[in-house]
Amino acid sequence: MAIVGASGSGKSTLLSIMAGLDTPTQGTVWLDGVDMFALNEDARAAVRARQLGFVFQSFQLLGNMTALENVMLPLELAGLPNPRVAAKDMLVRVGLGERLGHYPKVLSGGEQQRVALARAFVVKPALLLADEPTGSLDHASGERIMDLMFELNKELGTTLVLVTHDLKLAARCDQAITIEAGQVKG
C-alpha cells in the first residue's frame, strides 16, 4: 500500500503512529490482534521487534557500527539465533557483500539505503513501513532500491506500507490512499 499526499499532510506521522512510535490523539492501532497503545513502551518495542520493520527517510543507521553490525542489531535485540550469518546473508542479498565492514559515513546514499532495507527485512517482519524510501536518492538508485524492496516484499510475504510523493512508485502498489491535511481521502 502506498500513502501519498503533499509535504506536511501527515503521511510520516501516520506511519509513526502505525509503528507505535507516536501516540495518536484519538483512535487505536491494532497490530496482529494487539492494541498497541494499551501496551507500555517496552511492550510496544517488543511487538515492533517481532512484527515490524521500519525504513526511515534518513536511514537512521548507527554511525559507530559497520553495515554488518547495523543489520545484526535487530536480530540481536529480538534474541534470534545466528545474527551474524543472517545479517551477512541479507547484505549479500542487497548487493553489499563486499561492504560488510564499512561504516555508514563511507557508504553512498544508495548503499546506506540498502543497509537500511537489509536491517528492516532481516527479521522477516510481517509488516514493513517505509517512509520516503527513495526520497534522498537519484532516480536510477531509487529505481533499484524500489525493485529490491518489491522483490523482498514478494519473496518474504511481508506486507509493505510506504509513504511517497512519487505517483509512479505509488502505482506499483496494490492500493494507494491519499492524505490531505491529516485526513485520509481514499
Side-chain angles (χ1 to χ4, degrees), residues 86-154:
K88 181 180 177 188
D89 289 348
M90 186 57 73
L91 283 164
V92 167
R93 179 80 177 80
V94 301
L96 293 174
E98 302 298 319
R99 309 286 276 171
L100 303 177
H102 289 75
Y103 290 89
K105 67 181 177 185
V106 299
L107 298 173
S108 71
E111 288 171 330
Q112 289 181 42
Q113 187 65 301
R114 285 186 280 158
V115 172
L117 275 178
R119 182 184 56 196
F121 274 112
V122 75
V123 294
K124 298 181 180 166
L127 174 64
L128 182 103
L129 304 174
D131 190 1
E132 293 286 357
T134 60
S136 62
L137 303 175
D138 63 79
H139 179 73
S141 295
E143 287 286 322
R144 285 191 301 274
I145 293 298
M146 288 317 305
D147 288 345
L148 178 62
M149 185 176 284
F150 283 112
E151 188 178 312
L152 289 168
N153 161 251
K154 285 185 182 9

Side-chain angles (χ1 to χ4, degrees), residues 56-99:
F56 295 91
Q57 188 172 2
S58 60
F59 315 135
Q60 298 293 334
L61 300 177
L62 298 173
N64 63 334
M65 299 177 99
T66 65
L68 181 62
E69 292 165 340
N70 267 283
V71 177
M72 286 173 56
L73 184 61
L75 295 164
E76 292 170 334
L77 292 173
L80 297 172
N82 304 315
R84 181 172 294 278
V85 171
K88 181 180 177 188
D89 289 348
M90 186 57 73
L91 283 164
V92 167
R93 179 80 177 80
V94 301
L96 293 174
E98 302 298 319
R99 309 286 276 171

Side-chain angles (χ1 to χ4, degrees), residues 18-50:
M18 290 171 66
L21 297 170
D22 287 342
T23 305
T25 53
Q26 62 184 19
T28 57
V29 175
W30 292 85
L31 181 59
D32 196 29
V34 175
D35 179 352
M36 291 291 284
F37 294 99
L39 305 173
N40 65 30
E41 179 51 40
D42 288 342
R44 279 197 307 274
V47 170
R48 279 192 299 268
R50 288 190 313 273

